[in-house]
Amino acid sequence: MEKEKQSTPVIHKKKNSQFRNILRRFMKNQTAVFGLVIIFLLVIFALFPSQLSHADYTVQDLANRYSGPSAEHWLGTDELGRDMYTRIVWGCRTSLTIGLASVAIACAIGVTLGTLAGYFGGVLDNVLMRIVDILMAVPNLLLGISIVAALGNSITVLVFAIALGNIAAFSRVTRSSVITVRDTEYVEAARATGASDGRIMWKYVLPNALAPIIVQVTTSLAGSILNISGLSFVGLGVPAPTPEWGSMLSNARTIMRDYPLQIMFPGIAIMLTVFAFNLFGDGLRDALDPRLKN
Amino acid sequence: MSKILEIKDLTIHYVTDSEVVRAVNDISIELEEGESLGLVGETGAGKTTTALGVLGLVPNPPGKVISGEVIYKGQDLLKLSDAEMRKIRGREISMIFQDPMTALNPVLTVGDQIMEVVRLHQKVSKAEAMKRAMEMMEMVGIEGARCGEYPHQFSGGMKQRIVIAIALACNPNLLIADEPTTALDVTIQAQVLDLIDNLKKKFNTSMLLITHDLGVVAEVCDKVAIVYAGRIVEYGTLNHIYNNPHHPYTNGLFGSIPDFSHKAHRLNPIKGLMPDPSNLPEGCAFAERCPHVTDACRKKQPIAVEVEPGHFVRCLLHEKEVR
C-alpha cells in the first residue's frame, strides 16, 4: 500500500518533466523564440483588432489618399484614403484564420492518407498515391481558381480550396517518412508484443515520422498565406471590403513606382508571418525530438 | 511436464517474381514446459524466420508459410486469425530482439513502453500499469525511478534489460530470444544471460533461444537444434550434441572454436559457404563442404534418423549405420 503511494507522485513528475523538457529545449533556441514572439503578436492582432486599431476598417477619406505615415495614420492611407494600419491589423485575422484552418484540414487529411499508404503499402498505397498524383498535377492556384469559380467567393470556399491544394504535399511527406519508420525493428518488436496496426501507427510510427510533417505544416502555412494573396490578386480572394494582405498588395501594384510604401507594409506583414512560422517550426521540430540531448 | 510448443514440418519460403528463397524447410521442434531449446546455425540459416513463423510475423509479401503446423498448447497458431494472434503475442509468447539499440521506440519513455504491453493484455489502470512497469525494471536490475527516461539515455546492456522487461511484463509462457546477446560485449553478455536464465526459472517460462554462439547454448539450453540451410541437421539434448556430435556440420562447428589448451596459429573453419537458399542443391545441402561426402549425398536428401533416444541426425552416413 505504501509502495503504491510512492509510485503515484513519480508518474506526475514524469509527465511534467517531459513537457518541461520540450519547453526548455525550445526556449534555448533563440531564433525559434523570436518566431514564437512574432506569432504571439500576430495572434493578439488577430484576436483584438478593434482594440488595437480602429473598429471600422472601411472608413474612407478620399481627400487624403496615398498619404505617408503620420500621427493620425501610422502607416499612411491607401488608394481610397483608408487607414493602412487598421487594414493590416484586420488583415492579420483574415490571413491567419484562412491559413490555419486550411492547413489544419489539409494536415489531418493528408497525414491520414499518407500514413495509411505508407504503412500498409501495396494496392492501397497505389490507389491513394494515384489520387494524390491527380491533385498534384493541378497547380495550386489553378485549383483554387476553379473551385472558387465553381462554388462562389466566400471564406469557407477559400479555406476548402487552399486545403485541397495542400493535401498532396502532406500525404507525400508523411508517406515517405512513414515508410522509413515502418521497417524499423521497434515497430516489429511492437508487433511482437501484440499491438494492433492502429496502435502501432499511432504510438510508434507517427511520432517517429513527425519531424518532416511539422516542417511541412510551417511551410504550408507560409505557402497558404501566399496562396490567399495569389487568389486575391486575380480577384478571387476574400470578398471586397474585408482587408487582406494579398489584395492590398495587388491593389498597390499599379502605383508601386509612385508610392512604394503602399506595397511595402502589407509585404512586410506577409514576410514577417511566413518568417515567424518557419522559425517556430524549425525550433519545434528540434524541441520535440528527445534524441537530441539537452 | 507437458508439451508447450510443437513445430511440425514448418516450411517458409520468400517468394518474389524472380526467385523463391527457401528459408525454412521441414523444421520440426518440440518444447516442453520450462525447457529451453537452442536453435543454432550460421547467418541466413533460417533461424529468425522460424521464430517469426511461430509468432505469425513473417513479412507477407514476400514471405509465405508453405506448409506445416505450429501447435501451441494444442492449437495451431497458423490457423488463428489476426486478432486471435495479437492476443497470443506478448501475452503467451513474446520475443526478445537481437539489437537493443533499435528495438526500442526512441520517442517513448522506457516506462511507457513497458506499460504499453501491460495495458495491451491486462485491463489495468495507468497507475497500476506504471507500477508494474517499475517493478519489471527493478527485476531486470534498473532503478524503477528511471522509467521516465528515454532509450537513448541508457547503455546497450541496459536497453537489452528493458527489452527483456517488456518481453516478460505479461509473464509469457514461451519466450523467443533472437540472438539476445549478439550485440553486447562479453561481460554484459554473461549478465544478460544470467538474468534471462534466472527469470526463466522464476516464472517457469519455456524458451526458444536463437544464436550462433555454441557457448551461449551450453550455458542456458536443455536441448539443441543445429540448423543448416533451413533444415535441422542434428537435434538432441545438450549432452547428445556436445559430447556425442554425429553430423559432420556439428563436428565442423565444434572444430572451428578456438581451444584454450592448444596453441593454434589458425582457426579451423568449415571450408566453403552455405548454399544460396534460392538455389538449394537436390541432395544434402552440406554436401559441398562435407569431408565425408559421397556421390549419394549429392542426389538424395537425407532423412532424420534417431541415433540414440532423442538424438536425431539428418545425414546419409548415419542413415546407413542405423540400418
Side-chain angles (χ1 to χ4, degrees):
Chain A
M1 207 53 213
E2 213 180 304
K3 217 178 175 182
E4 209 170 340
K5 270 179 192 165
Q6 276 177 347
S7 66
T8 320
V10 177
I11 297 163
H12 289 300
K13 196 181 133 219
K14 188 214 89 188
K15 276 208 170 144
N16 278 337
S17 71
Q18 194 170 330
F19 175 72
R20 219 179 292 146
N21 272 340
I22 293 172
L23 196 70
R24 187 171 47 83
R25 279 198 295 262
F26 184 83
M27 285 305 173
K28 262 194 170 177
N29 188 343
Q30 288 176 354
T31 50
V33 173
F34 178 64
L36 183 66
V37 169
I38 298 178
I39 292 174
F40 184 69
L41 289 177
L42 289 170
V43 170
I44 300 272
F45 280 141
L47 288 176
F48 310 106
S50 48
Q51 282 80 6
L52 292 165
S53 64
H54 295 292
D56 189 358
Y57 48 79
T58 56
V59 178
Q60 298 183 4
D61 180 4
L62 288 169
N64 201 9
R65 299 161 66 208
Y66 302 126
S67 72
S70 62
E72 196 187 345
H73 303 291
W74 291 356
L75 301 179
T77 56
D78 67 0
E79 77 277 11
L80 294 171
R82 295 175 297 196
D83 183 44
M84 287 279 277
Y85 172 69
T86 308
R87 291 184 65 77
I88 282 179
V89 171
W90 280 91
C92 190
R93 172 177 275 191
T94 327
S95 292
L96 279 190
T97 315
I98 300 177
L100 285 173
S102 60
V103 168
I105 294 171
C107 185
I109 299 174
V111 169
T112 310
L113 292 183
T115 308
L116 291 174
Y119 184 81
F120 288 109
V123 181
L124 183 72
D125 183 23
N126 261 324
V127 171
L128 290 178
M129 283 305 116
R130 292 304 78 76
I131 295 172
V132 167
D133 279 347
I134 294 171
L135 278 176
M136 256 187 158
V138 187
N140 274 359
L141 194 63
L142 198 62
L143 190 71
I145 291 173
S146 355
I147 291 172
V148 174
L151 299 178
N153 199 344
S154 77
I155 289 198
T156 324
V157 173
L158 260 183
V159 168
F160 174 64
I162 291 167
L164 200 62
N166 278 327
I167 288 174
F170 271 107
S171 53
R172 283 265 160 190
V173 165
T174 310
R175 174 177 173 271
S176 64
S177 177
V178 162
I179 282 175
T180 59
V181 178
R182 179 189 65 184
D183 295 326
T184 53
E185 209 168 61
Y186 56 81
V187 169
E188 206 184 351
R191 215 170 273 141
T193 65
S196 61
D197 285 329
R199 205 179 177 94
I200 290 172
M201 278 190 265
W202 184 247
K203 283 224 146 177
Y204 293 81
V205 174
L206 256 187
N208 282 293
L210 209 59
I213 299 173
I214 291 174
V215 178
Q216 185 62 38
V217 166
T218 54
T219 46
S220 285
L221 254 176
S224 296
I225 289 171
L226 289 175
N227 237 329
I228 306 163
S229 309
L231 282 174
S232 302
F233 184 84
V234 293
L236 292 169
V238 184
T242 315
E244 202 281 321
W245 297 337
S247 51
M248 289 167 76
L249 206 62
S250 63
N251 285 345
R253 186 182 50 105
T254 48
I255 42 100
M256 76 181 216
R257 275 163 203 261
D258 302 318
Y259 305 102
L261 288 179
Q262 295 283 309
I263 65 159
M264 260 167 70
F265 290 127
I268 288 169
I270 294 175
M271 191 205 75
L272 262 182
T273 313
V274 172
F275 182 59
F277 276 112
N278 280 338
L279 290 183
F280 174 71
D282 281 357
L284 190 65
R285 178 199 52 194
D286 293 344
L288 281 176
D289 190 345
R291 280 163 294 190
L292 297 171
K293 294 179 186 177
N294 300 316
Chain B
M1 280 212 271
S2 60
K3 245 179 248 170
I4 188 160
L5 180 76
E6 192 179 3
I7 301 177
K8 278 189 195 160
D9 304 322
L10 185 66
T11 301
I12 301 173
H13 291 175
Y14 290 105
V15 185
T16 61
D17 290 341
S18 53
E19 58 182 13
V20 176
V21 179
R22 290 182 282 167
V24 173
N25 305 297
D26 297 325
I27 276 192
S28 299
I29 285 172
E30 276 177 28
L31 196 57
E32 308 273 322
E33 217 168 89
E35 203 176 39
S36 302
L37 183 133
L39 212 52
V40 185
E42 288 171 63
T43 304
K47 297 167 297 185
T48 304
T49 305
T50 309
L52 292 177
V54 172
L55 279 172
L57 288 176
V58 178
N60 180 20
K64 234 179 136 179
V65 178
I66 303 293
S67 64
E69 287 171 11
V70 178
I71 296 165
Y72 171 80
K73 284 185 171 173
Q75 56 180 341
D76 188 355
L77 295 186
L78 298 177
K79 292 203 176 80
L80 293 185
S81 72
D82 253 16
E84 286 169 318
M85 253 335 265
R86 275 203 295 274
K87 281 185 195 141
I88 301 258
R89 289 178 204 141
R91 186 193 183 98
E92 302 277 338
I93 307 176
S94 63
M95 187 156 174
I96 298 175
F97 284 81
Q98 179 173 354
D99 188 356
M101 305 299 165
T102 56
L104 293 169
N105 184 349
V107 301
L108 284 186
T109 63
V110 294
D112 277 341
Q113 294 187 53
I114 305 174
M115 217 170 92
E116 185 78 354
V117 200
V118 177
R119 280 169 58 87
L120 264 176
H121 297 293
Q122 292 165 9
K123 283 207 155 78
V124 291
S125 72
K126 262 196 169 167
E128 274 174 84
M130 187 45 92
K131 205 179 135 216
R132 173 87 183 132
M134 286 163 79
E135 275 171 26
M136 283 313 295
M137 285 176 69
E138 298 279 355
M139 204 175 290
V140 296
I142 298 172
E143 267 178 81
R146 294 191 69 182
C147 65
E149 294 184 21
Y150 290 93
H152 69 75
Q153 290 165 298
F154 292 88
S155 70
M158 288 182 130
K159 275 188 213 171
Q160 191 62 301
R161 285 161 186 270
I162 288 162
V163 171
I164 293 168
I166 293 175
L168 294 177
C170 289
N171 288 337
N173 292 314
L174 174 63
L175 182 65
I176 299 175
D178 185 2
E179 311 210 13
T181 56
T182 306
L184 308 172
D185 58 54
V186 185
T187 47
I188 306 298
Q189 255 187 35
Q191 285 179 17
V192 168
L193 281 177
D194 270 356
L195 178 72
I196 294 179
D197 209 30
N198 287 338
L199 293 176
K200 195 177 78 66
K201 283 183 183 130
K202 191 168 166 188
F203 298 120
N204 195 29
T205 312
S206 315
M207 178 163 74
L208 188 62
L209 178 74
I210 295 169
T211 182
H212 53 244
D213 189 336
L214 285 163
V216 168
V217 174
E219 221 167 302
V220 287
C221 292
D222 308 310
K223 278 196 208 160
V224 187
I226 309 282
V227 187
Y228 187 79
R231 262 177 221 286
I232 292 179
V233 292
E234 188 159 6
Y235 179 69
T237 63
L238 202 58
N239 188 29
H240 290 149
I241 305 290
Y242 280 69
N243 297 329
N244 191 16
H246 275 62
H247 198 279
Y249 179 63
T250 319
N251 280 318
L253 284 181
F254 283 113
S256 53
I257 298 173
D259 189 345
F260 272 127
S261 56
H262 299 88
K263 193 171 179 181
H265 288 285
R266 294 191 76 100
L267 291 177
N268 193 13
I270 307 172
K271 289 196 171 55
L273 289 171
M274 208 172 65
D276 180 0
S278 64
N279 187 22
L280 288 180
E282 189 189 340
C284 174
F286 189 60
E288 286 308 310
R289 304 168 76 183
C290 185
H292 311 293
V293 62
T294 60
D295 281 345
C297 293
R298 295 207 167 87
K299 287 181 194 120
K300 189 172 172 265
Q301 183 62 247
I303 52 165
V305 289
E306 196 164 9
V307 288
E308 54 188 310
H311 185 179
F312 296 86
V313 178
R314 205 184 268 268
C315 179
L316 286 181
L317 216 61
H318 301 287
E319 217 169 291
K320 279 174 207 147
E321 261 173 36
V322 171
R323 274 174 203 163

